[in-house]
Structure formats: C-alpha cells, structure tokens
C-alpha cells in the first residue's frame, strides 16, 4: 500500500522545507513574497509573459541536479514538491555577487531594474545548463520569456555571453553533492494529499493512485505544468478547490524514441520532448524553439497542450498531420483514439469524467513522406499562433499520393483539411497549375473566425499560402527562397 504524505517538501538553502495547510491555489510567487517575505522576485504580468517572476527549480535528472527557469506567478506552490527552489536573493554568496549578477553590472544590463531579477535567474539557468560553446542565438532563446522595457537587450546579451560561456563554478556547483543527496531523499514515492475532501492539493505518485483519486473526484482540476490553469487562477479568478497535480506520477513523463514511433507521456514537458520532436523533423524542432519561452517549455507539458483543447495550440495540428494517436485512461480502462477525434467542438473533447490523457503515440514519417509545419504569429517568440499549418505529404515519385493536413487557428478546434487532402491526391509536384483545386479547397474546409489575433480573411489567405509554400518547398527541395529563419537546407547541410 502506498503511504500518503500530508505536506509538500522541497529543498531550500540547503535544507528541507515542509509546507502544509496551504490553499491549493497558492502560487510559488505568493509563497516567496507573502510568506517568506523575499521581495526580489517581482510580479509584472501575472500570466507567464514577462518573466519578472522567474525563479530556478533544481531537479535530479540524469544523476545530477539540473536547473530550469519557471514563472513563479503561474506555478502552484505544490508543484515544487521534491525540487530545489532558487530565488534571486539566493545567488549572492558570502557577500559576493554571482557571476551573472556581476556581468550584468559591468555590462550595464539594468536600468529601472524591475526585469533584472527575472533576467538574472534566466541567466543563472543558462550559466548552469547552456550549451557550450555558447551562441548569441542560445542567449536570445533563453531570454525570449524575459521582457525588458528600458535597458535594451544588447548589454544584457553581452553580459550573458561574458558570464555563461565557461564551466559553471559557484556556490551551487560547490554544494551540488549535498543538494543531490537532499533531493534524492525527497523522492519518497508517496502520494501527497494536502487538505480535506472538499478542498485539496493532491499529487499522486503512481498511475493507479491517480486513476483511483480522479475517479473519486471527477470534479477536481488536473494540473500538469499549470501554464494554462495558472491563468485561470491569476486572471480568471477561478475558484479551484480540488487540484490534482500530475507531475509526480511515475512513468507519466515517459519519452520512448523508437524506430517507427515516438511515445510521449502526458507530463513530459516541452523542454523534455524538444530533442525527440526535433529529430523527427527540423520543422517540429523550430516549432518547439518558438513554443512560449524557456520558462513555459520547462513547465508546460505535451499532454496539457493537447488536453486543453485550444483551437490555437501549436502541437495538436502538427501531431494530427503526423497521424498521432492518443491514449486515455479512466479507472482500470485504457483506450486509444486518433488524435483528431479527440477534438469534438470548441473546448469540448472526447474525455469522460475521471478520464485523463496518458500518452501520445507518434508514427515517424517514412522515407517517401515529407513533413512541413509553419507557425504564423505576430511575434516570433512567446506568442500564440494566429494560424498554425502542418502537412504530411506521401510521395509517389514526383506525385503526391496522399496527404494529411491540419490547421490550428482556422476553426473552433484543431481540424483536418479533408477536402484539401482529397484534392491533393495525384497532383504533380512539377505542374503548379495542377495545385489550384487543392488551394481552393482550403476555403471549403475552413471558415475561420475574426478575432484579436487575425481577421477571417487574413487567416484564409495565410492558410492557402502555407499550402502553396509546403508544395513549393517539396517540389524544389529547398527553403532558401521561402524562409528567413529555420531554413531546412542550411540545417540539413549542417548535420
Ligand atoms: C506565456 C505563455 C506562452 C505560451 N505559448 C504557447 C505557444 O507558443 N503555443 C501553444 O500551443 N501554447 C502556448 N501556451 C499555452 C500553454 O503553455 C500550453 O498549452 C501548455 O502545453 C499547457 O500545458 P500545461 O502542462 O501547462 O497544462 P495545464 O495548465 O497544467 O493544463 C491545461 C489543461 O489541460 C488539462 N490537463 C493537463 N494535463 C492533462 C492530462 N494528462 N489529462 C487530462 N487533462 C489534462 C488541465 O486540466 C487543463 O484543463 C503559452 C502559455 C503561456 C502562459
Ligand atoms: S509576472 Fe510576468 S511572467 Fe510572471
Ligand atoms: S531594466 Fe527596466 S524593464 Fe528592464
């Protein structure tokens, strides 16, 4: 029998902290600022966009402590169970600035200073985990979720390049063995249940515990990374009383990169799934690079992106085009459905009370199949798509034998382009004149909405143009005439 723990436990300043009796909606930011009275971590937007609240979480991965940046404003306190929490105040050691803080000073990387603690914490994670040799592009990627309104990024990027290019050597590396021991001791495999039956934060440790708890409380809110649910709390003022966090369920974050298929467990974060998705296709890698920010990718999960049923989520169209299947579990019973059948209507999914998303099975494209995915958004980084188009073309020589196409942002759900798929069967890649019927069919497949992100007419034009782009790139085998960034020919040549 699995023992239940009635408090969360995390590692802070070299010792274990226990927290019990907190409200399930309490965020990590509230804990730091209101309970610990550590005011270095700022609140800017309270919706994961500005990065002022960035802190680092240390977790044991691959036998060592790995640091990731998270937005404390939309992370629940309960989600730090088993992790080390590092806030900006913790970086100064024996009265000396941390190397990233010293570099920010010497490069004049701060003016009003409101963004600075968050930027310092993002750079702290780059200092520990960033690729070597460090590139300007890698610095830009890690700072994509940190908004600075007054300094300008040039001095901040210079500080990062100065401080984060070598082997890490700070008080955290010096105490890493002790931290590793501490974190390992926290991984007790117990279910966590803080509160009572009318209101609780629960973190089951196994799938059986999760299935049983959710069957008992089908009205509870499942939380994976909380990058969507967090906004319901901070912006929607949702009064969620029962929260079941999936982040401790053993095995639910599996990534099994097989020869023919990639299996991604529901709680695998975008950061964890990134490399395997990028290996399937360079466009999937580029999509993941542009998914939110480093903070959002560290918390947000593949399962959460599917389960929320958003019509503008980025992964659903790409995974539908690739022919993904979804595995769901309710109690003891597990079923598998084609991903496209999961989305029934706007924000309505084929999910029964007490049922949860377990894993996604993604067949890999074969040698004669071409995949393309394009995200169109107002900003390059940290922005939700206006239109997201994904295409898998099965070729028979220079002809398209069949196609799977899905779009986000074009309907109330992520939706396949069935008429367009039919119209593409048999067209010649060498005769652009044969593409007209398929390009016109996009207009029959979708009647997109007008909203703040884009007008209906804009979306319809973009979708048609993205199909034309996919066909042109497939026909020519090149992307230098169709792309400014993410050129596949350059990426493929570099491999
Ligand atoms: C600043 C910012 C930028 C973002 N950028 C992007 C972007 O570029 N592209 C994009 O597509 N999205 C983006 N998002 C949205 C969000 O990050 C993603 O949808 C993310 O994948 C959600 O995953 P999560 O684990 O955080 O979900 P959560 O917030 O934990 O949950 C989301 C929903 O799914 C349900 N749920 C979660 N896991 C399961 C499960 N296993 N079974 C059943 N139900 C489950 C929850 O109950 C909830 O209804 C952004 C969000 C923010 C705040
Ligand atoms: S306060 Fe803006 S991301 Fe958290
Ligand atoms: S220093 Fe003012 S917002 Fe960055």
């Amino acid at each position: 029998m699995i023992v239940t723990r009635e408090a969360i436990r995390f590692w802070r300043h070299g010792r274990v902290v226990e927290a019990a009796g907190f409200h399930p909606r309490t965020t990590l930011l509230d804990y730091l600022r209101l309970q610990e009275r550590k005011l270095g971590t700022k609140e800017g937007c309270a919706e994961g966009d500005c990065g002022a609240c960035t802190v680092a979480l240390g977790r044991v991965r691959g036998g060592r402590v790995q640091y990731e940046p998270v937005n404390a404003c939309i992370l629940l306190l309960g989600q730090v169970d088993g992790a080390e929490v590092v806030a900006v105040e913790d970086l100064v050691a024996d009265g000396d600035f941390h190397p990233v803080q010293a570099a920010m000073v010497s490069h004049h990387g701060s003016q009003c200073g409101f963004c600075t603690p968050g930027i310092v914490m993002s750079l702290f994670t780059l200092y520990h985990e960033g690729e070597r040799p460090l590139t300007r592009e890698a610095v830009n990627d890690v700072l994509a979720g940190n908004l600075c309104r007054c300094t300008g990024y040039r001095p901040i990027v210079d500080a990062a390049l100065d401080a984060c290019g070598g082997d890490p050597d700070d008080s955290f590396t010096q105490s890493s063995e002790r931290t590793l021991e501490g974190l390992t001791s926290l991984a007790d495999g117990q279910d966590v249940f803080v509160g009572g039956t009318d209101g609780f934060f629960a973190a089951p440790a196994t799938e059986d515990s999760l299935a049983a708890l959710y069957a008992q409380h089908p009205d509870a809110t499942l939380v994976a990374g909380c990058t969507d649910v967090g906004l319901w709390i901070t912006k929607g003022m949702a009064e969620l009383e029962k929260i079941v966090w999936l982040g401790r369920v053993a095995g639910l974050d599996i990534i099994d990169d097989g020869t023919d298929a990639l299996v991604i467990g529901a709680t695998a974060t975008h950061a964890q799934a990134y490399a395997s998705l990028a290996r399937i296709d360079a466009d999937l890698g580029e999509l993941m690079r542009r998914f939110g920010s480093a903070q959002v990718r560290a918390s947000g999960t593949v399962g959460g992106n599917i389960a929320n049923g958003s019509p503008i989520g980025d992964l659903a169209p790409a995974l539908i085009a690739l022919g993904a299947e979804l595995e769901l579990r309710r109690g003891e019973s597990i079923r598998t459905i084609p991903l496209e059948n999961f989305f029934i209507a706007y924000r309505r999914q084929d999910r029964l009370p007490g049922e949860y998303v377990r894993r996604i099975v993604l067949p890999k494209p074969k040698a004669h199949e071409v995949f393309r995915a394009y995200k169109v958004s107002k900003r390059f980084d940290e922005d939700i798509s206006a239109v997201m188009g994904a295409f898998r073309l099965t070729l028979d020589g220079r002809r398209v034998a069949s196609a799977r196409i899905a779009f986000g942002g074009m309907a109330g759900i992520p939706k396949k382009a069935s008429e367009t798929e039919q119209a593409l069967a048999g067209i010649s890649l060498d005769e652009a004149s044969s593409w007209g019927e398929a390009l016109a069919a996009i207009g029959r497949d979708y009647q997109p909405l007008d909203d703040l992100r884009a007008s209906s007419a804009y979306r319809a034009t973009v979708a048609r143009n993205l199909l034309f782009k996919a066909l042109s790139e497939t026909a020519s085998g090149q992307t230098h005439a169709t792309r400014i960034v993410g050129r596949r020919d350059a990426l493929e040549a570099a491999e």
Side-chain angles (χ1 to χ4, degrees):
M1 195 187 82
I2 293 183
V3 184
T4 299
R5 176 155 45 87
E6 291 177 359
I8 61 157
R9 300 183 312 177
F10 53 98
W11 191 253
R12 188 122 173 80
H13 304 135
R15 64 183 184 88
V16 176
V17 176
E18 276 203 8
F22 56 89
H23 194 281
R25 295 194 302 264
T26 309
T27 63
L28 177 58
L29 184 64
D30 283 345
Y31 169 80
L32 290 171
R33 289 184 62 89
L34 305 178
Q35 201 150 325
E36 281 198 2
R37 299 302 290 166
K38 290 284 168 54
L39 304 179
T41 308
K42 304 299 180 208
E43 181 176 67
C45 64
E47 60 181 53
D49 257 318
C50 74
C53 64
T54 304
V55 300
L57 292 188
R59 293 191 195 276
V60 180
R61 294 209 172 110
R64 70 177 189 90
V65 183
Q66 193 187 328
Y67 291 100
E68 287 184 310
V70 295
N71 291 315
C73 66
I74 52 168
L75 194 95
L76 299 177
L77 174 60
Q79 290 179 262
V80 304
D81 186 76
E84 180 186 14
V85 176
V86 184
V88 69
E89 290 90 346
D90 310 328
L91 265 52
V92 171
D94 296 328
D96 291 330
F97 273 157
H98 187 276
V100 298
Q101 293 174 305
M104 282 286 280
V105 173
S106 62
H107 288 275
H108 306 285
S110 176
Q111 284 192 41
C112 79
F114 195 81
C115 69
T116 308
I119 285 183
V120 162
M121 292 313 297
S122 285
L123 295 187
F124 170 80
T125 63
L126 185 72
Y127 178 85
H128 281 275
E129 310 298 338
E131 60 185 41
R132 309 287 188 264
L134 183 62
T135 60
R136 184 167 281 269
E137 191 179 50
V139 174
N140 289 344
D141 280 347
V142 92
L143 288 175
N146 289 91
L147 187 63
C148 178
R149 297 167 182 83
C150 51
T151 300
Y153 285 87
R154 202 260 308 142
I156 298 171
V157 172
D158 286 349
L161 288 169
D162 186 7
C164 302
D167 290 335
D169 180 13
D170 60 5
S171 60
F172 293 85
T173 54
Q174 284 147 24
S175 56
S176 62
E177 274 186 31
R178 188 169 142 61
T179 311
L180 184 62
E181 272 173 31
L183 291 180
T184 307
S185 75
L186 293 182
D188 58 6
Q190 294 184 357
D191 290 338
V192 171
F193 193 93
V194 180
T197 46
D198 292 341
F200 56 78
F201 175 91
T206 66
E207 274 210 59
D208 286 347
S209 297
L210 165 63
L213 182 69
Y214 199 26
Q216 206 183 336
H217 297 277
D219 56 334
T221 302
L222 297 183
V223 165
C226 207
T227 59
D228 282 316
V229 175
L231 276 70
W232 307 351
I233 295 171
T234 60
K235 297 289 154 169
M237 305 300 159
E239 297 195 350
L240 311 178
E241 300 296 339
K242 299 179 180 181
I243 288 181
V244 178
W245 178 47
L246 306 175
R248 288 182 75 251
V249 179
L252 207 56
D253 62 348
I254 181 179
I255 295 190
D256 183 2
D257 201 346
T259 316
D260 299 323
L262 171 66
V263 177
I264 307 178
T267 58
T269 64
H270 299 303
Q272 288 169 324
Y274 194 150
S276 304
L277 288 169
R279 271 196 296 278
I280 289 186
D281 189 87
D283 278 8
L284 272 180
E286 185 67 2
L287 183 67
M288 294 314 285
R289 181 165 83 91
R290 291 181 56 198
F291 197 110
S293 58
Q295 292 91 324
V296 169
R297 292 192 294 272
S299 301
T301 64
V302 173
N305 195 234
I306 302 297
N308 74 15
S310 165
I312 47 173
D314 281 335
L315 276 178
L319 303 187
I320 290 173
L322 283 165
E325 292 194 324
L326 197 64
E327 203 175 282
L328 299 128
R329 175 168 171 179
R330 181 186 189 224
E332 293 299 310
S333 124
I334 294 177
R335 66 185 174 115
T336 303
I337 56 170
L339 179 56
E340 58 266 32
N341 293 356
F342 183 61
F343 305 103
I344 299 172
Y346 179 70
R347 296 281 184 190
R348 198 155 69 81
Q349 293 88 41
D350 176 11
R351 191 159 72 82
L352 300 165
E355 193 172 44
Y356 62 90
V357 174
R358 189 164 184 257
R359 51 178 64 169
I360 294 116
V361 181
L362 195 57
K364 296 186 174 177
K366 304 201 170 48
H368 57 291
E369 290 177 336
V370 172
F371 179 75
R372 290 290 184 274
Y374 310 111
K375 170 170 176 166
V376 178
S377 54
K378 288 190 175 175
R379 290 184 316 227
F380 182 78
D381 289 309
E382 181 90 296
D383 204 1
I384 308 271
S385 306
V387 178
M388 159 67 207
F391 310 81
R392 193 189 78 186
L393 305 177
T394 304
L395 302 183
D396 177 8
R398 296 291 294 167
R399 289 197 174 275
V400 174
S402 62
R404 281 182 70 88
I405 298 177
F407 274 92
M410 293 291 289
I413 54 172
K415 188 170 170 253
K416 272 179 93 221
S418 308
E419 290 212 24
T420 311
E421 289 174 354
Q422 280 173 24
L424 279 169
I427 64 150
S428 165
L429 290 173
D430 297 321
E431 291 163 33
S433 56
S434 70
W435 305 352
E437 173 53 27
L439 293 168
I442 291 258
R444 295 195 295 279
D445 274 318
Y446 301 104
Q447 287 82 45
L449 291 177
D450 273 305
D451 69 11
L452 285 173
R453 284 201 176 80
S455 68
S456 174
Y458 173 82
R459 287 188 156 112
T461 306
V462 164
R464 207 168 42 246
N465 289 350
L466 291 183
L467 173 60
F468 187 77
K469 179 166 158 169
L471 292 170
S472 305
E473 289 185 353
T474 307
S476 68
Q478 294 184 338
T479 53
H480 65 271
T482 46
R483 302 185 186 202
I484 296 169
V485 291
R487 286 184 179 162
R488 297 172 63 99
D489 17 3
L491 289 171
E492 281 155 14
E495 275 171 8

